[in-house]
Amino acid sequence: MNDPAARIGSGDRTVAGLREGAAAIAEGRGYLRENLRENGMIFALIAIVAFFVVILRVVPANPVDFLSPTNITNLFLQNSHVIIMALGMLLVIVAGHIDLSVGSVAAFTGACAAVMTVKWGWPVWAVVPAGLAIGALIGAAQGYWIAYWRIPSFIVTLAGMLVFRGLTLWTLGGQNIGPFDREFQSLSTGYVPDFVGLALPEFEAFARQPNWTALAVALIAAGAILWMGARARARNIAHGIAVEPQGFFWLRNLVIAAAIIFVGWKLAGFRGIPNVAVSMAVLTILYAFLTQSTVIGRRIYAIGGNLKAARLSGINADRLTFLCFVNMGALAALAGMVVTARLNSATPKAGTGFELDVIAAVFIGGASMSGGSGKIVGAVVGALIMGVMNNGMSMLGIGVDYQQVIKGLVLLAAVIFDVYNKSK
């Protein structure tokens, strides 16, 4: 016990352990500094939600549960169009452009869908592809002038914003068109049936049967995120690619998994998973795969990062730019039909201000205003931040005037933060 050599060896191990701990802490701080914008948005979203949870229980005369199943469902329904369009807007901004016409395009395609459904009697399985085709053609028309004639996207899409707003008024004749049949409304207000509960009727013994499908999907999604994240991390380590610190990796992924399970549990206590949530999830996965794991995705980032270098390396930048706007038009059309179905009416005022919310969501989510950087997950998180802020401020009774001021300041802060990071 009193052997000097043993004491020296124990002391060396203690010092070595302290050094390793200090090195791990320094590594974690360095990673956070380098990836503050990307990872900070997730924790910012959690902080904003926590703020509204607390403030809505203290400030109003009648306390409100911000995380009630009804309100979480409303968050999906009210912000689905922003998330859908943010996926396409991210590609446009990453490529070094911008699209100011998405709100007007969404309104116009929603008006066209209303005419096809109510006046022409088309079924929903024909209306949806026709609406997507209209949106893609609009995107192609704008993308042609931007990609092949090199006209600035700001000018072309600003013109498109005015043109398609006018065409919306002309299509509707200044009147609302609606209501729609249940099939068309299900694009937004429908819910996924409880397949698990139907297959296992013994669950009906519970006093209040939850939607077991929502719970199962949430658990599977959370497990898939942890498994795929751990697998990708192990693969990167095996290939000598730098990875984030292990503690931070598990903290971030466990927080995300816990949030998904919590939302699934809440939705299970109401009407289950909304159809729009399924659409958003599928589109998010597809576009995340496109941007991170395909040649086309890497080339889009290349032309946004350095257009001249991309052209010299053989990338057809004009065609990719054209396709980005075609894609944006189709997603704007989908968002327009979702909003029209939710409102159960096509209105001349539909889509007003959508472009501002979508662009703000992409920038808040970490995209650079100069192009070449940004992630799909960041755009989705940015859209959720905008949606949570809109919903929370409305529940607090804050007027639309103050809401616009606050959202503008948040957008300005996000851009200033991006410029500051680049200067550092």
Side-chain angles (χ1 to χ4, degrees):
M1 293 294 294
N2 296 321
D3 186 2
R7 289 199 301 271
I8 293 173
S10 176
D12 290 342
R13 288 192 296 270
T14 302
V15 171
L18 291 174
R19 288 176 177 174
E20 290 179 1
I25 293 173
E27 181 186 5
R29 288 177 178 174
Y31 178 82
L32 283 175
R33 283 195 300 267
E34 294 174 2
N35 300 271
L36 182 61
R37 182 74 180 276
E38 177 184 341
N39 297 293
M41 289 302 102
I42 296 176
F43 295 103
L45 174 61
I46 295 173
I48 293 171
V49 171
F51 169 78
F52 282 119
V53 168
V54 174
I55 205 71
L56 285 169
R57 290 183 178 274
V58 176
V59 173
N62 298 317
V64 180
D65 183 7
F66 185 73
L67 294 178
S68 66
T70 304
N71 196 50
I72 291 178
T73 302
N74 287 335
L75 281 172
F76 282 115
L77 297 181
Q78 294 170 3
N79 299 285
S80 57
H81 63 281
V82 177
I83 296 176
I84 291 171
M85 288 191 286
L87 301 176
M89 187 65 75
L90 176 72
L91 297 182
V92 171
I93 290 176
V94 163
H97 300 280
I98 200 162
D99 191 342
L100 301 177
S101 67
V102 291
S104 297
V105 173
F108 177 65
T109 51
C112 292
V115 170
M116 289 185 283
T117 302
V118 176
K119 294 189 175 182
W120 297 354
W122 286 17
V124 66
W125 57 263
V127 172
V128 172
L132 294 176
I134 292 171
L137 287 174
I138 293 172
Q142 297 188 131
Y144 171 75
W145 297 109
I146 295 167
Y148 297 105
W149 286 74
R150 313 291 169 82
I151 300 175
S153 58
F154 181 88
I155 300 300
V156 174
T157 58
L158 178 61
M161 179 176 69
L162 300 174
V163 168
F164 294 107
R165 178 60 58 186
L167 288 176
T168 301
L169 295 172
W170 174 78
T171 302
L172 297 176
Q175 303 293 325
N176 295 351
I177 294 182
F180 307 114
D181 54 34
R182 182 170 297 179
E183 288 74 16
F184 187 81
Q185 291 184 54
S186 66
L187 290 175
S188 178
T189 58
Y191 294 84
V192 177
D194 186 10
F195 299 107
V196 177
L198 293 175
L200 301 173
E202 59 270 19
F203 285 143
E204 294 181 359
F206 289 95
R208 284 190 62 190
Q209 179 185 354
N211 189 295
W212 294 100
T213 298
L215 284 174
V217 169
L219 291 171
I220 292 172
I225 286 175
L226 294 175
W227 178 74
M228 289 189 297
R231 183 182 178 187
R233 177 183 169 83
R235 184 171 60 248
N236 289 338
I237 292 175
H239 289 84
I241 301 174
V243 296
E244 60 188 327
Q246 184 175 5
F248 188 84
F249 166 81
W250 284 111
L251 173 63
R252 178 168 56 84
N253 283 277
L254 286 174
V255 167
I256 294 173
I260 291 175
I261 294 174
F262 177 79
V263 170
W265 174 61
K266 285 289 187 176
L267 293 178
F270 186 49
R271 299 179 62 183
I273 303 175
N275 290 341
V276 290
V278 177
S279 302
M280 290 186 297
V282 171
L283 288 172
T284 300
I285 293 171
L286 288 177
Y287 279 87
F289 176 78
L290 172 70
T291 55
Q292 298 177 18
S293 304
T294 66
V295 175
I296 292 178
R298 297 190 185 99
R299 288 179 174 177
I300 292 173
Y301 280 89
I303 65 176
N306 192 321
L307 179 58
K308 291 183 178 179
R311 291 185 189 276
L312 290 173
S313 64
I315 295 176
N316 192 334
D318 296 339
R319 183 176 63 185
L320 287 176
T321 300
F322 174 78
L323 291 176
C324 284
F325 279 93
V326 172
N327 173 74
M328 184 70 259
L331 289 179
L334 176 60
M337 289 185 285
V338 167
V339 171
T340 303
R342 179 170 64 86
L343 298 177
N344 199 22
S345 175
T347 67
K349 297 285 187 180
T352 303
F354 282 7
E355 59 280 341
L356 302 180
D357 285 340
V358 173
I359 293 171
V362 174
F363 282 135
I364 291 172
S368 173
M369 60 182 181
S370 59
S373 66
K375 289 189 175 182
I376 290 295
V377 174
V380 173
V381 171
L384 289 174
I385 288 176
M386 294 293 293
V388 168
M389 288 175 58
N390 288 334
N391 184 267
M393 288 188 293
S394 297
M395 295 177 74
L396 283 172
I398 298 176
V400 177
D401 47 356
Y402 290 106
Q403 291 187 31
Q404 296 295 331
V405 171
I406 294 172
K407 290 193 292 184
L409 292 175
V410 170
L411 174 59
L412 180 61
V415 175
I416 292 174
F417 189 69
D418 175 60
V419 173
Y420 173 77
N421 276 345
K422 286 193 172 184
S423 67
K424 295 289 286 185

